[in-house]
Amino acid sequence: MLSTLIKKWRGERPSIFILSGAGLSVESGIPTYRGAGSDAKNDSPSLSKGYMRSIPEKVFEASNRRIRDFDACKPNSAHLAIAQFVRAYRLKADIIHVTQNIDSLCEEAGDTSVFHLHGALNQSLCQKCGATFPRKGFYKIGNQCPKCKAKFTAVRPDVVLFGETPHGLDWILPYLDEVDIFIAVGTSGTVYPAADFVKMATAAGAPIRILVNKEAPIASGFGYPMMDEESHSFNVVRLGNATSVLPMVLKEVGKLIDNIH
């Protein structure tokens, strides 16, 4: 029971931090692009800072393939569970959802708390003036920035390419110092700096750290072997698909919010 791990909130109201990875969206049909057997995993090297400078066409092609993949997908029950949790408890708790995913399924599910650590493919960025704006169509050489009218390769996906710094670290890292409940879902902890978030929350004294994942991470995941409670940063581990496990976990967290004052 989660209630045995926490007796009161550290602040005036509970602070909930949800970190999601590819496992949140994979059951909607979106490839992980990292796992073995993924037909699209070869696209990942093209999504790099170096390619954007030297061969932008490769970045555009890889992005367009992902856009086509995403268009055929819909939010699953895990996305919906987070959105419902936020709606039910937004007046009782501070809820932040940081996702490593670049799809927009969280927003489509109605999640108003989500922040994209690695950006999102439904947004474009002008490399000349820095403007961000909704994506229009597919990426190609010649797309024009609506603000400064720059063309050629100025308009690119507003996603964090390999070699670039994730968004929001300036406020995410301090926020982790205040978290009461940390929930990681659908991530094995192999992508940094997100893999360090739970360790930061643990060091800051977060009472409850929950992992929801299909498989226990390997030794390199989250920096721990994850085989016993003493050897990793999570004190609650629930293994299984996000669509079946996460709704139950959020229901437990909701009861905790209702019962602890």
Side-chain angles (χ1 to χ4, degrees):
M1 293 291 292
L2 299 183
S3 58
T4 63
L5 299 174
I6 186 170
K7 301 301 180 183
K8 63 179 181 179
W9 308 119
R10 296 197 291 171
E12 295 181 359
R13 43 193 267 141
S15 176
I16 316 295
F17 188 100
I18 302 171
L19 171 67
S20 66
L24 180 68
S25 294
V26 71
E27 291 179 82
S28 289
I30 291 182
T32 65
Y33 297 95
R34 288 180 176 271
S38 172
D39 293 335
K41 66 179 180 180
N42 291 331
D43 277 348
S44 291
S46 298
L47 295 174
S48 70
K49 182 179 180 180
Y51 270 58
M52 192 64 240
R53 282 198 297 251
S54 60
I55 319 175
E57 299 95 325
K58 291 288 187 182
V59 177
F60 294 162
E61 289 171 6
S63 298
N64 290 337
R65 279 191 287 271
R66 294 191 180 199
I67 290 167
R68 292 185 180 95
D69 284 340
F70 295 175
D71 281 348
C73 299
K74 295 181 179 180
N76 61 48
S77 58
H79 296 109
L80 295 171
I82 296 175
Q84 291 166 0
F85 176 76
V86 171
R87 284 196 297 270
Y89 292 100
R90 62 187 176 187
L91 298 181
K92 296 181 179 180
D94 296 318
I95 305 169
I96 297 295
H97 174 196
V98 173
T99 186
Q100 296 168 273
N101 299 334
I102 59 174
D103 61 69
S104 57
L105 295 182
C106 292
E107 289 88 341
E108 290 178 33
D111 181 1
T112 57
S113 70
V114 68
F115 177 85
H116 288 268
L117 185 69
H118 297 148
L121 272 179
N122 62 357
Q123 286 285 115
S124 293
L125 166 69
C126 177
Q127 297 183 100
K128 183 176 180 181
C129 72
T132 58
F133 43 90
R135 173 179 58 82
K136 182 180 179 181
F138 292 102
Y139 289 101
K140 61 183 183 294
I141 291 178
N143 282 357
Q144 185 179 68
C145 171
K147 180 179 179 181
C148 72
K149 308 304 180 184
K151 293 183 179 181
F152 191 49
T153 61
V155 177
R156 54 161 280 188
D158 187 20
V159 298
V160 176
L161 302 174
F162 291 103
E164 296 180 334
T165 302
H167 299 326
L169 295 182
D170 56 335
W171 64 264
I172 291 173
L173 302 186
Y175 190 92
L176 291 169
D177 290 340
E178 306 171 2
V179 171
D180 292 294
I181 299 178
F182 182 101
I183 304 171
V185 53
T187 176
S188 59
T190 57
V191 178
Y192 289 85
D196 282 331
F197 288 176
V198 66
K199 288 182 277 186
M200 295 176 186
T202 301
I208 299 177
R209 290 97 54 196
I210 304 170
L211 173 66
V212 176
N213 201 46
K214 188 174 182 179
E215 299 175 349
I218 58 176
S220 61
F222 292 109
Y224 300 99
M226 299 296 295
M227 297 309 294
D228 61 82
E229 190 172 303
E230 297 301 318
S231 65
H232 59 77
S233 296
F234 295 99
N235 51 9
V236 178
V237 177
R238 304 286 173 81
L239 300 182
N241 293 333
T243 53
S244 57
V245 178
L246 185 61
M248 294 187 293
V249 167
L250 293 179
K251 186 175 182 180
E252 288 185 68
V253 173
K255 288 181 179 179
L256 195 61
I257 295 173
D258 289 331
N259 294 333
I260 295 183
H261 303 284

